[in-house]
Amino acid sequence: MRILLVEDDHPLALTMLDMLREDQNTVDWLDDGQKALNALADEHFDLAILDLTLPRVDGLDIVRRTRQNGNQTPIIILTARTDLDEKLQGLDSGADDYLTKPFAMAELKARIRAVTRRGRADNSTAGLRVGRLTLNPETGNLSIENETSMLPRSEFQILHYLMRHPDQVATRRRLEEQLYGWEQGAESNSLEVHVHHLRRRIGKTAIRTLRGVGYLLDSDAAGKDSLE
């Protein structure tokens, strides 16, 4: 899944990022309410995990405005507030579930499974397709016509993001966030190594390099090159 995590407690967010990415999710992390509202309006997510107390725009307002715009992305709200009325406000605003801090990561995983089960049951076998590439987010398997292989976690994270945004530039910073988290730095050439391995799987020109910027998955070339 592609998950939007909106949390301004950085230590907690980094812990959640590790947990979510271990399950082969693609996670976008924001710590600002206005940026979260913009992201939900402009991009597609399978799930949003949303803190209520955020800079600039409160979490409840994000839920209300997102639902008013017709966006039905499943939303789990996180709150340190123990008042029942505030929790009910979140649900009445359109959230699908809530979790009170502090919480166990196992419980968060259970809540995620519960709120996404219905939509994923319909789409889990469909996979993500670009050109002749099919990526199954449930298993991590990449299929090119009749050949299927399981991707290592790092290659899965990169290709999953690129296939979510074909023919769009993915900056180095954004791809490194998918691999290593918001603040943790990557080794100098580790991203290039993973991209090199992916090119050997899907074709030399399927992933284009934009020097000084990042990478782009070319939907016309994807899966059409002869493999090395």
Side-chain angles (χ1 to χ4, degrees), residues 172 209-214:
R172 286 185 56 92
T209 300
L210 287 82
R211 296 193 180 279
V213 181

Tab-separated table of all heavy atoms in Angstrom, residues 172 209-214:
chain	number	residue	atom	x	y	z
A	172	ARG	N	15.974	12.202	-5.678
A	172	ARG	CA	16.800	11.330	-4.836
A	172	ARG	C	16.295	11.359	-3.397
A	172	ARG	O	16.209	10.319	-2.742
A	172	ARG	CB	18.259	11.788	-4.858
A	172	ARG	CG	19.021	11.475	-6.131
A	172	ARG	CD	20.478	11.889	-5.952
A	172	ARG	NE	21.056	11.231	-4.779
A	172	ARG	CZ	21.698	10.067	-4.830
A	172	ARG	NH1	21.828	9.434	-5.974
A	172	ARG	NH2	22.194	9.531	-3.721
A	209	THR	N	17.846	8.315	-15.678
A	209	THR	CA	18.510	9.173	-14.700
A	209	THR	C	18.423	10.618	-15.157
A	209	THR	O	18.745	10.929	-16.304
A	209	THR	CB	19.991	8.793	-14.535
A	209	THR	OG1	20.079	7.437	-14.088
A	209	THR	CG2	20.680	9.708	-13.530
A	210	LEU	N	17.960	11.495	-14.260
A	210	LEU	CA	18.003	12.929	-14.514
A	210	LEU	C	19.079	13.486	-13.589
A	210	LEU	O	18.878	13.614	-12.384
A	210	LEU	CB	16.642	13.587	-14.232
A	210	LEU	CG	15.568	13.287	-15.287
A	210	LEU	CD1	14.929	11.930	-15.028
A	210	LEU	CD2	14.499	14.370	-15.292
A	211	ARG	N	20.226	13.761	-14.148
A	211	ARG	CA	21.406	14.085	-13.356
A	211	ARG	C	21.153	15.278	-12.441
A	211	ARG	O	20.643	16.309	-12.875
A	211	ARG	CB	22.614	14.346	-14.251
A	211	ARG	CG	23.044	13.125	-15.039
A	211	ARG	CD	24.408	13.285	-15.665
A	211	ARG	NE	24.793	12.095	-16.407
A	211	ARG	CZ	25.291	11.003	-15.847
A	211	ARG	NH1	25.468	10.973	-14.539
A	211	ARG	NH2	25.600	9.958	-16.585
A	212	GLY	N	21.529	15.088	-11.187
A	212	GLY	CA	21.360	16.149	-10.200
A	212	GLY	C	19.949	16.265	-9.660
A	212	GLY	O	19.693	17.084	-8.780
A	213	VAL	N	19.022	15.443	-10.175
A	213	VAL	CA	17.625	15.539	-9.740
A	213	VAL	C	17.143	14.212	-9.164
A	213	VAL	O	16.772	14.113	-8.006
A	213	VAL	CB	16.703	15.973	-10.899
A	213	VAL	CG1	15.256	16.089	-10.407
A	213	VAL	CG2	17.174	17.297	-11.471
A	214	GLY	N	17.125	13.168	-9.989
A	214	GLY	CA	16.609	11.895	-9.512
A	214	GLY	C	16.395	10.926	-10.655
A	214	GLY	O	17.203	10.863	-11.593
